[in-house]
Amino acid sequence: MLRYDLAGRTVAITGSTGGLGSAVAQALRRRGAHLALLDLDGTAVAAQADALGGPLVAWAAQADVTDLDNVRSAVDRAAAHFGRIDVVIANAGVSAVAPMATLNPETFERVVDVNLTGVWRTFKAALPHVERQRGYLLAISSMAAFVHSPLQAPYTASKAGVWAMCNSIRLEVRHLGVGVGTLHPTFLKTPMLDAIHADPAGRRLWGGNERGLWRMCTVDKAVRSIVSGMERRAQTITACRAHALVAAAPGFFRPFVDRVGFTTKTITEASAASSPSGGLPPTSSTVSCGFEEQSAGFEVVEDKTVRLSEGDPARRGP
């Protein structure tokens, strides 16, 4: 495969001021890429852009991946600034460590919204621009997509979801010449991992990631893997060679299924026949459900469904 030269290309990165995002941004600048830096912290991302060379090569915008309109506006402005977007790295992410029994529901929803739905929103916003360049979409997943730890249900679910979602999206866009990949790093010395180690539950669970199965990988090694993977437009990227087999095993049969089970003709025809709702019916209120059940010989009484006697007219609500 020909090397995908990053020099002169525009790469948009969400969560760009984080530990991994910052290191990747620096490496890409050394490769000669132009950077659209997108982060929730507007002050920090502006300073990051200045440090990387200023607006001619590193442009910054505040962006919230939990808000589609917000991230779309940021991506559109980045494309207008540089005239193109070739690559998008969906890097924004958060983590939490607690068992289901005590975890706040709001925390679960927040982790999934940022880590999984945030990737979808980022790709959704960027695809029109990336499609024009026949470019590449890269999502930051994790080895947690394949190895599911306790006390991290929202994190492992979101990262496994990112991997599965990208496998689906890859099939949808391959006829457009757009590549889709996922990165699966293990533990890296970043502010996110520092926060986990500062938490008593995280410290006890992972033992500081100092040895054994859970020992840390260096950020430099992870960045080298990411850049190399981007230059290959790889589908799956791991930060350490020892993890490659674990990452490859769940998808061993996927290339065969992708090619034989889902032809490009089938995908494009199904896409053309689809609706924006995806076929999901609109949600119904309790009252409307009651009316539907009444028409079938049932009545809703104080949130309970009872069968009407034969000959009883179905009473209509007010």
Side-chain angles (χ1 to χ4, degrees):
M1 178 182 291
L2 293 176
R3 178 173 171 270
Y4 186 67
D5 191 356
L6 296 170
R9 299 191 190 274
T10 298
V11 182
I13 310 173
T14 63
S16 67
T17 68
L20 183 59
S22 294
V24 170
Q26 292 170 20
L28 291 174
R29 273 300 304 133
R30 290 194 293 270
R31 284 291 202 281
H34 296 159
L35 303 176
L37 304 169
L38 311 177
D39 198 275
L40 188 61
D41 188 333
T43 301
V45 75
Q48 180 186 32
D50 287 342
L52 288 171
L56 290 180
V57 294
W59 177 89
Q62 187 278 338
D64 180 357
V65 299
T66 68
D67 183 330
L68 177 58
D69 289 339
N70 181 274
V71 73
R72 178 180 280 143
S73 173
V75 168
D76 289 349
R77 286 185 288 125
H81 178 79
F82 286 113
R84 60 193 292 169
I85 292 180
D86 300 271
V87 177
V88 169
I89 304 176
N91 173 67
V94 293
S95 184
V97 181
M100 182 181 69
T102 58
L103 184 68
N104 293 330
E106 296 81 5
T107 300
F108 184 98
E109 293 165 2
R110 169 72 176 169
V111 172
V112 173
D113 195 30
V114 172
N115 292 2
L116 175 58
T117 316
V119 171
W120 185 88
R121 293 186 188 101
T122 300
F123 283 3
K124 174 80 169 176
L127 181 59
H129 304 291
V130 175
E131 179 184 340
R132 282 193 282 274
Q133 305 303 322
R134 298 176 69 84
Y136 181 62
L137 302 170
L138 177 63
I140 307 304
S141 179
S142 169
M143 286 302 293
F146 314 119
V147 180
H148 306 141
S149 53
L151 279 73
Q152 288 195 296
Y155 186 79
T156 57
S158 64
K159 293 303 185 178
V162 166
W163 175 69
M165 180 176 69
C166 287
N167 290 337
S168 293
I169 294 172
R170 183 181 304 114
L171 298 177
E172 298 171 16
V173 301
R174 69 185 179 192
H175 69 287
L176 304 174
V178 175
V180 180
T182 50
L183 171 72
H184 301 271
T186 184
F187 301 97
L188 304 174
K189 182 64 175 175
T190 63
M192 179 186 289
L193 189 61
D194 290 343
I196 290 175
H197 290 168
D199 178 74
R203 180 74 186 181
R204 181 67 185 89
L205 182 65
W206 299 117
N209 301 111
E210 295 169 352
R211 62 183 64 85
L213 287 175
W214 315 129
R215 68 179 180 274
M216 280 182 281
C217 176
T218 67
V219 173
D220 286 346
K221 180 182 286 190
V223 170
R224 287 196 298 270
S225 297
I226 293 169
V227 174
S228 173
M230 292 173 65
E231 291 175 334
R232 292 180 287 109
R233 293 164 62 99
Q235 294 185 8
T236 306
I237 305 170
T238 55
C240 299
R241 184 175 297 177
H243 299 147
L245 181 61
V246 176
F252 184 76
F253 292 103
R254 198 185 70 241
F256 173 78
V257 173
D258 287 354
R259 288 296 174 187
V260 177
F262 302 108
T263 66
T264 298
K265 183 174 183 292
T266 298
I267 294 169
T268 54
E269 289 178 352
S271 297
S274 68
S275 67
S277 69
L280 184 69
T283 56
S284 302
S285 66
T286 302
V287 174
S288 65
C289 288
F291 290 166
E292 291 168 1
E293 290 181 322
Q294 287 169 357
S295 67
F298 295 85
E299 182 180 17
V300 176
V301 179
E302 295 180 350
D303 293 328
K304 296 180 181 179
T305 302
V306 297
R307 183 178 294 276
L308 296 170
S309 301
E310 281 191 26
D312 268 357
R315 295 199 306 271
R316 298 294 177 182

